[in-house]
């Protein structure tokens, strides 16, 4: 996959997140600060803008994206997405091409870095409910078609986000609501799932 093709997928991921702003706000308004939709729209805009203007190779592009997110104010999602993107760039190639093993290494490193920071696991009702299954799907992919890899990841991410409806919150402001959060998906998991939906667009 070329840098331009990867950039296009990243921008599609950002567009999918931005399109879901109102839904994410509504979900977060139930047990959170009602700012997740706006925060994610800012993050999506920062990533998309950085990708558009990036010079150099894939690593440089992802580094620019992480830096753009880090510069944003507000929202607990900002440091989490910055850490995830920074993990990606650490494993990314300096050049303008990336193969399937390279994509797998990139997402594995990103998850490793975010896991070190977050500590959340599947079942804790966080973005990790979507990201961990998506990352596992990428790691398990044995084919040679990046489109199929991203489709597998998108499916796993959305299934994970939907499954978060059955979990009680254990992190953040929503933690104080406990079992009252049952039946509502985690806003962070949904935004991550939408990002992967966009990545999977042809």
């Amino acid at each position: 996959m070329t840098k331009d093709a990867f950039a296009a997928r990243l921008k599609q991921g950002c567009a999918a997140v931005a399109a879901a702003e109102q839904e994410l706000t509504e979900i977060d308004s139930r047990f959170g600060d009602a700012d997740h939709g706006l925060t994610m729209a800012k993050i999506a805009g920062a990533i998309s803008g950085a990708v558009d203007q990036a010079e150099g190779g894939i690593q440089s592009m992802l580094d620019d994206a992480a830096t753009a997110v880090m510069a944003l104010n507000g929202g607990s999602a900002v440091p989490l997405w910055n850490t995830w993107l920074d993990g990606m760039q650490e494993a990314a190639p300096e050049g303008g091409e990336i193969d399937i093993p390279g994509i797998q290494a990139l997402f594995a490193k990103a998850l490793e870095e975010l896991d070190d920071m977050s500590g959340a696991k599947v079942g804790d009702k966080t973005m990790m409910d979507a990201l961990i299954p998506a990352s596992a799907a990428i790691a398990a992919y044995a084919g040679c078609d990046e489109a199929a890899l991203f489709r597998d990841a998108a499916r796993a991410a959305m299934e994970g986000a939907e499954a978060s409806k059955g979990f009680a919150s254990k992190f953040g402001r929503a933690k104080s609501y406990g079992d009252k959060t049952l039946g509502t998906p985690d806003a962070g998991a949904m935004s991550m799932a939408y990002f992967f939906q966009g990545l999977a667009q042809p």
Side-chain angles (χ1 to χ4, degrees):
M1 182 168 62
T2 66
K3 174 196 170 187
D4 287 346
F6 192 19
R9 288 189 181 275
L10 290 171
K11 289 174 66 177
Q12 287 160 186
C14 292
V17 170
E21 179 180 353
Q22 289 305 116
E23 177 188 344
L24 297 171
T25 295
E26 194 279 325
I27 293 170
D28 193 40
S29 70
R30 299 180 201 176
F31 305 106
D33 297 325
D35 64 346
H36 188 71
L38 177 61
T39 298
M40 286 310 307
K42 289 180 179 178
I43 289 172
I47 295 171
S48 190
V51 166
D52 259 341
Q53 298 170 20
E55 299 177 357
I58 292 172
Q59 185 177 56
S60 177
M61 175 178 70
L62 291 170
D63 187 40
D64 287 350
T67 300
V69 171
M70 184 173 63
L72 297 173
N73 291 319
S76 59
V78 168
L80 296 170
W81 276 73
N82 164 254
T83 298
W84 189 52
L85 290 164
D86 195 52
M88 281 193 197
Q89 71 85 19
E90 286 187 31
E94 292 183 4
E97 297 272 349
I98 188 168
D99 58 9
I100 296 293
I103 294 170
Q104 291 171 319
L106 184 152
F107 280 95
K109 181 63 174 176
L111 177 63
E112 178 186 327
E113 291 298 312
L114 187 56
D115 183 55
D116 283 347
M117 176 190 185
S118 166
K121 307 299 181 187
V122 169
D124 289 339
K125 209 178 184 90
T126 71
M127 66 190 292
M128 301 297 266
D129 285 313
L131 180 56
I132 291 173
S135 301
I138 291 172
Y141 181 72
C144 55
D145 176 15
E146 68 264 11
L149 177 150
F150 285 119
R151 283 196 300 270
D152 285 356
R155 184 166 53 249
M158 189 56 74
E159 288 173 356
E162 288 291 332
S164 72
K165 293 177 181 177
F167 307 142
S169 292
K170 298 178 182 176
F171 281 79
R173 180 177 174 182
K175 179 181 179 181
S176 63
Y177 290 92
D179 288 347
K180 292 180 181 179
T181 63
L182 293 171
T184 299
D186 179 69
M190 289 303 301
S191 57
M192 182 59 74
Y194 281 127
F195 185 75
F196 274 102
Q197 295 292 304
L199 285 179
Q201 293 300 310

